Amino acid sequence: SPFARLAGVALDGSAGLTVRATLGTPKGAPLGATQQASAVELALTGTLGLTGGAPPLPALLGPAARLALAASYDGGALTIRRFALTGPALWLTATGTAGPARIDLGWQAGLTALRALTPRLAGHLQGNGSVRGTPARFDLAATLSGIVTPGGLASPVGAGTAGGFTARLAVRDLPDSPQGTLTASGALLGAPLRLTTAARRAADGTLHLTLDQATWRSAAAEGALTLAPGAALPLGTLRLSVARLADLAPLLGRALSGSLRATLDATAAKATLTAEARGAALAGTGRTAAARLDATVTDPTTRPRLAGRLVLTGIDAAGIAGAATLTAQGPLGALFGPAVAEAAAGTAPGPAPPQAALALRLTAAAPALDGAPARLVATASVRPAARALSLQTLDARWRGQVLRLRAPAAARLIPGGVAIAGLRAGLAGGAIAVDGSIGRTLALTASLRGLHAAQLARAVPGLRAGGLLSAEARLGGSLARPEGTLLAEASGLRLLSGPGQALPPGQMRMTATLKGTTARLDARATLGASFLSLAGTAPLSATAPLALRAGGTIDLALADPLLAAAGQHVAGRMTLDATIAGTAAAPRLAGSATLAGGDFRDEARGVHIGAIAGQFAAEGDKLRILRLTGRAGDGTLDAEGTLGLLQAGLPGDLRLRATDATPLAGGIVTATVDADLTLSGRLARRGVLAGTVRVRTATVRIPNQLPADVPLIPFRIAGAPPATAAAPPGPGLALALDLTVAAPQQVFVRGRGLNAELGGTVQLRGSTARVIPQGAFKLIRGTFALAGQTLNFTSGQIGFEGGSLTDPALDLVASSTANAVTATLTVGGTAQAPRITLSSVPELPQDQVLAQLLFHTDAGRLTPLQLAGIAAGLAQLSGGTSNLPNPLEGLRNALGLSQLGIAGGANGKAGIQAGRYIGRRLYVGVRQGFAGTAGQGTATFEITPRLQLHATAGTGQTTSAIGSSGQSTGESVGITYQFGY
């Protein structure tokens, strides 16, 4: 390696050589001659092992190439008796003599595996050649043959194998008046190759080149060129066409498509170059529908001047579609003239003299860059020979943003990078400044000052924000070991539209001091009374150690403006004190976080969890929940476990418990539950929520509402822009479900005349994105009040296939059979949008069905009072509502009863019924007629979820399982067994 660096080559490996040199008397000198000995005999053997470095040498020679040389130098003549270099993929031999009177050298070589040069090609090559003549006039001849196939294809072995190619080079009268030919024929990459070209240099130094034939696959070229001494461009004509650029893909190793045609026509007065590509595309880079280059050089032999234009249309690269035009005008000497003396390394260049530079103009447009048009216009002068550019103007526009150059800026290529001077631009009401160099060393100063967030926010549809942004960088050292300071500040940051405009303004300041391999950080962000800080040492590589400390206090009420639109509220205070160690690739956490005074409400769903408190500890790559508790009604909620915060997939192992908790209250569903759940697995991929939820009591309230066919009238505020459709929400945290919801009884459905009790067990499978319920809550008892009458439900259930956990689906049926007519009332839909339908066997009009249900008779036999009840019932079923409170509902709550209502009978006599649960299995009820003549007490004891024991005492109404009713007297005991079918 050290010796290779002296030669400017990157190589790794070793060498072992044995050299024997003998100094003797020149051949033919008399014995005892006194002249100094000058004959040298040299013998060298050894190995050369290359293990790495610049390709392709390591692959060609390998770790144990053999080297041998036997030569002599005598009287000014070098004689090589044997030279041999042999590696795994390359061999080379040479013999001959080179002296002041005669040159006669010959060589042979072979490349046994083209893969050593590039994996894109396979095959082998072999060649031989000679140099013969005198130093003043000698001839050169060489022959190359072999087989070349695309990489990965097996290639035949042997020089004479069919399908190979042969190329011959013959040049005579070197070095003063060379003239020669180059021919090739055969097959290259499986396609015929034909090449015939000749070249000669005249006595005045003019070079003549003739290309008689050059064809391979769809590529063809022909022409003749002449290059006079000192001329910048050749004269003559040259034509090139490639009908299928895909033919070149094996040579480039990347897929190509499209076609290309080019013509050069040059005379002493003017040279014209035209080139056109159609449908050109390079895999992984981009494509253009059409590209055309038109360039004219006037006076090409003495004072050439260029006028060129490159037009690209149908560009599609990196997801950006558009078009671009580049023009160039100026003296061609700027391209080929001698390099201008450069200033000391690292200093900024001065402006390029206009008379020595090419003038460039670039215009580019993208009609839909991320949904909005973008345009760029820039002018510059460039001196390629001096590697210098002066940017004169720059104007870029997109989504209301304008980036404009305020003064000309200069740039120059330096070893390993670029030097920039005087770059000044305006953006978003602020200023951008860059000076210095980025190369083998750093000497850069850059700043962003006073950028207005309100203007930057225009680039984001629907976002309005305020505040000022600034940043500054002063860098030295090198890219591998930078030194200097970075500063970033933001003040008065706030949202100016939407719910976030209620948030207080935020501030942020961050400083970083770079010291080669590490950076000293000090950052702090505040929002109202909340703040976060981060300080310590951070590495500039993935393996250097971290030593950071994070702290702060967050008022959770800051989220209220963002949650208010969804009817949600959050409160509490989170305190953080943690350290970050390890490396950037594998950080390690330590410290704690505390949550106090937490409260969460969801008014729309009736969720309220208060008195939330928590204690969390960071341990390496995990977050341990030491304690997380809250109150829901009169009960409690708590959680504990661990989260792999810095582990792949966010693995978790949490346990969630509820004891007599009422997390849902005041909405559609009010429920008091006990729960024991686990949350495990990789939560960011497919965690599992499993366990049991036991419902102590639940009430599903059906709210009064307008009929479903009342239309919503769209509106828009005058002068306001049209609302844009919101992006669909992301998939969120997807969890697999394995839950059991057990509610043996006391699941009540109440509202709009409905009063029913259900019980059962529901299994929740699937995922949080698609819940698959199995089972339902079955009817235990229930009534439906309609037009002053009370109907007893005979069957029913509530499930979740058509609704959600907070808005379950209803399926309750009340039926009555009288006068050979079975009338049925069905409550379907969901709790929030119930559907009440009437049906009968045989089929009857709606008023007839109501008459059978309410009065067990034909509508034609109803009294005027009963007809009014029928009309009221139809109005109720069609969506009519009453704003009057239900006095029985308030009385039931005050007395602590499970049921309280007015019940009707088959004889039309009404009565009052009430009841409540004594413990979890025993229900006690009473029914009393208004006339005081019919009273009955009932008791139901649940032996198993399907087997119940019933007892009655007194005189009252009885209803069978099939809906028939009658009068009973005295006491009775019975058993009911329920099953699904």
Side-chain angles (χ1 to χ4, degrees):
S1 298
F3 297 100
R5 284 197 295 269
L6 292 176
V9 179
L11 286 177
D12 296 324
S14 61
L17 303 176
T18 299
V19 181
R20 182 181 299 275
T22 303
L23 181 64
T25 303
K27 184 181 295 184
L31 294 176
T34 58
Q35 73 259 35
Q36 185 176 1
S38 61
V40 178
E41 290 287 338
L42 181 67
L44 182 150
T45 59
T47 60
L48 177 64
L50 298 183
T51 58
L57 289 178
L60 292 173
L61 298 179
R66 296 189 303 274
L67 179 65
L69 173 66
S72 62
Y73 181 80
D74 188 356
L78 174 66
T79 300
I80 301 175
R81 291 189 296 276
R82 178 173 180 263
F83 172 79
L85 175 64
T86 305
L90 174 70
W91 61 268
L92 173 64
T93 64
T95 60
T97 302
R102 183 70 180 169
I103 299 175
D104 189 358
L105 295 173
W107 58 269
Q108 290 183 327
L111 182 61
T112 58
L114 274 174
R115 290 187 182 90
L117 289 179
T118 171
R120 298 190 293 269
L121 300 177
H124 62 273
L125 297 174
Q126 57 248 355
N128 60 78
S130 63
V131 180
R132 292 185 172 89
T134 67
R137 185 177 181 182
F138 60 89
D139 299 338
L140 183 149
T143 300
L144 179 68
S145 61
I147 295 177
V148 180
T149 60
L153 299 180
S155 57
V157 178
T161 303
F165 76 96
T166 301
R168 293 183 174 86
L169 173 66
V171 183
R172 65 179 187 273
D173 297 337
L174 289 166
D176 295 331
S177 301
Q179 52 184 319
T181 59
L182 173 64
T183 61
S185 61
L188 178 65
L189 294 174
L193 171 67
R194 296 289 182 271
L195 175 64
T196 303
T197 182
R200 65 182 181 86
R201 188 168 67 194
D204 62 355
T206 300
L207 179 63
H208 299 272
L209 174 66
T210 302
L211 183 60
D212 294 324
Q213 181 184 29
T215 60
W216 178 71
R217 290 189 174 177
S218 66
E222 62 175 355
L225 296 176
T226 300
L227 182 63
L233 289 175
L235 303 182
T237 301
L238 182 65
R239 295 181 177 85
L240 169 68
S241 66
V242 184
R244 295 184 305 274
L245 289 173
D247 293 341
L248 305 178
L251 300 176
L252 297 179
R254 298 175 67 179
L256 283 172
S257 61
S259 62
L260 173 67
R261 299 180 67 87
T263 301
L264 172 65
D265 191 356
T267 65
K270 182 175 67 173
T272 301
L273 172 65
T274 61
E276 184 175 14
R278 293 285 183 180
L282 181 60
T285 301
R287 67 177 305 275
T288 177
R292 182 176 178 85
L293 172 66
D294 292 285
T296 301
V297 179
T298 56
D299 200 2
T301 59
T302 56
R303 300 182 62 184
R305 187 172 183 85
L306 172 67
R309 180 184 179 89
L310 174 64
V311 179
L312 304 175
T313 59
I315 299 173
D316 186 359
I320 301 175
T325 300
L326 175 66
T327 61
Q329 290 190 351
L332 205 58
L335 290 174
F336 304 105
V340 179
E342 297 181 355
T347 60
Q355 68 273 16
L358 282 174
L360 304 179
R361 177 182 175 84
L362 172 66
T363 61
L369 177 59
D370 195 20
R375 181 173 176 80
L376 169 69
V377 179
T379 61
S381 59
V382 61
R383 294 178 295 161
R387 300 181 298 174
L389 177 143
S390 177
L391 185 61
Q392 305 294 330
T393 63
L394 173 67
D395 189 291
R397 300 169 183 263
W398 179 67
R399 289 195 187 279
Q401 303 301 304
V402 179
L403 174 64
R404 182 180 290 118
L405 196 67
R406 293 182 172 178
R412 185 185 69 245
L413 294 178
I414 61 175
V418 63
I420 301 171
L423 178 58
R424 303 292 183 268
L427 175 66
I432 301 174
V434 180
D435 290 281
S437 61
I438 304 174
R440 295 176 181 172
T441 61
L442 282 174
L444 183 69
T445 300
S447 64
L448 303 173
R449 299 188 184 278
L451 273 66
H452 290 261
Q455 296 188 33
L456 290 175
R458 295 175 186 170
V460 182
L463 176 64
R464 293 184 58 206
L468 292 177
L469 306 174
S470 298
E472 184 176 339
R474 297 181 181 275
L475 301 177
S478 64
L479 286 174
R481 298 177 63 88
E483 297 181 354
T485 59
L486 301 174
L487 170 66
E489 290 183 302
S491 60
L493 287 179
R494 65 183 307 164
L495 295 174
L496 301 179
S497 63
Q501 62 185 321
L503 294 173
Q507 320 290 329
M508 187 276 291
R509 179 182 175 86
M510 186 275 291
T511 61
T513 303
L514 307 184
K515 297 182 178 180
T517 59
T518 62
R520 177 70 185 178
L521 293 180
D522 189 0
R524 183 181 177 91
T526 62
L527 187 63
S530 301
F531 76 93
L532 284 175
S533 64
L534 182 67
T537 301
L540 298 181
S541 68
T543 57
L546 280 163
L548 295 171
R549 189 174 193 90
T553 300
I554 303 174
D555 184 359
L556 300 184
L558 286 173
D560 265 359
L562 306 178
L563 301 176
Q568 296 174 348
H569 160 82
V570 66
R573 185 173 295 272
M574 179 75 78
T575 303
L576 174 67
D577 184 8
T579 61
I580 307 173
T583 65
R588 309 290 295 177
L589 305 179
S592 63
T594 303
L595 173 62
D599 190 274
F600 175 75
R601 294 176 183 269
D602 188 332
E603 303 295 348
R605 297 170 178 81
V607 177
H608 180 210
I609 302 175
I612 303 174
Q615 188 72 35
F616 311 89
E619 300 175 355
D621 56 1
K622 297 180 181 179
L623 176 67
R624 187 176 300 278
I625 303 175
L626 303 177
R627 177 179 59 88
L628 182 59
T629 61
R631 295 198 63 83
D634 295 330
T636 60
L637 301 171
D638 67 88
E640 62 182 10
T642 60
L643 283 174
L645 202 59
L646 301 180
Q647 298 179 21
L650 191 63
D653 186 6
L654 304 176
R655 185 175 183 183
L656 315 173
R657 291 183 293 265
T659 303
D660 197 21
T662 309
L664 300 175
I668 297 296
V669 177
T670 298
T672 300
V673 302
D674 297 329
D676 191 352
L677 308 177
T678 61
L679 182 58
S680 59
R682 297 187 179 273
L683 306 185
R685 298 175 183 173
R686 191 67 168 176
V688 178
L689 180 62
T692 300
V693 178
R694 185 174 181 85
V695 180
R696 289 178 176 241
T697 180
T699 300
V700 181
R701 299 185 182 277
I702 300 178
N704 293 330
Q705 61 182 23
L706 291 172
D709 58 352
V710 175
L712 295 176
I713 303 175
F715 71 94
R716 180 172 66 86
I717 300 175
T724 57
L733 190 65
L735 298 175
L737 297 179
D738 185 10
L739 296 175
T740 299
V741 180
Q745 69 277 316
Q746 298 196 61
V747 176
F748 301 103
V749 181
R750 295 190 174 105
R752 300 190 67 183
L754 178 63
N755 190 351
E757 179 191 357
L758 303 98
T761 300
V762 175
Q763 307 289 336
L764 299 182
R765 301 291 187 263
S767 68
T768 51
R770 182 174 178 269
V771 181
I772 303 176
Q774 298 174 359
F777 294 148
K778 303 294 184 178
L779 178 70
I780 297 175
R781 62 181 59 83
T783 61
F784 187 78
L786 181 64
Q789 300 292 325
T790 299
L791 303 176
N792 292 315
F793 284 112
T794 57
S795 65
Q797 66 179 26
I798 61 173
F800 304 94
E801 292 86 346
S804 66
L805 295 179
T806 57
D807 186 22
L810 305 176
D811 183 14
L812 301 171
V813 178
S815 62
S816 174
T817 300
N819 303 320
V821 175
T822 299
T824 302
L825 179 144
T826 303
V827 180
T830 67
Q832 196 166 7
R835 295 191 306 270
I836 302 174
T837 58
L838 297 173
S839 61
S840 66
V841 179
E843 185 175 351
L844 297 174
Q846 298 288 288
D847 58 342
Q848 291 282 10
V849 177
L850 270 182
Q852 292 291 336
L853 279 172
L854 298 178
F855 305 109
H856 307 286
T857 186
D858 185 86
R861 302 179 181 178
L862 298 178
T863 66
L865 184 60
Q866 291 172 327
L867 286 173
I870 293 294
L874 289 173
Q876 178 179 344
L877 296 179
S878 64
T881 63
S882 173
N883 294 324
L884 296 177
N886 186 347
L888 290 180
E889 184 72 7
L891 182 60
R892 184 193 62 79
N893 291 330
L895 296 176
L897 298 176
S898 299
Q899 283 191 331
L900 178 64
I902 303 297
N907 55 5
K909 295 181 179 181
I912 186 168
Q913 61 181 14
R916 67 164 295 168
Y917 276 90
I918 308 298
R920 297 190 59 83
R921 296 188 177 184
L922 179 60
Y923 175 84
V924 177
V926 65
R927 175 186 174 90
Q928 178 66 50
F930 288 138
T933 58
Q936 188 177 58
T938 64
T940 301
F941 182 77
E942 182 185 281
I943 301 173
T944 70
R946 294 187 177 183
L947 186 62
Q948 295 178 344
L949 176 65
H950 300 274
T952 62
T955 302
Q957 179 73 26
T958 63
T959 304
S960 71
I962 61 173
S964 62
S965 58
Q967 196 77 8
S968 69
T969 60
E971 294 75 24
S972 65
V973 175
I975 292 178
T976 300
Y977 179 75
Q978 298 173 324
F979 60 93
Y981 60 93

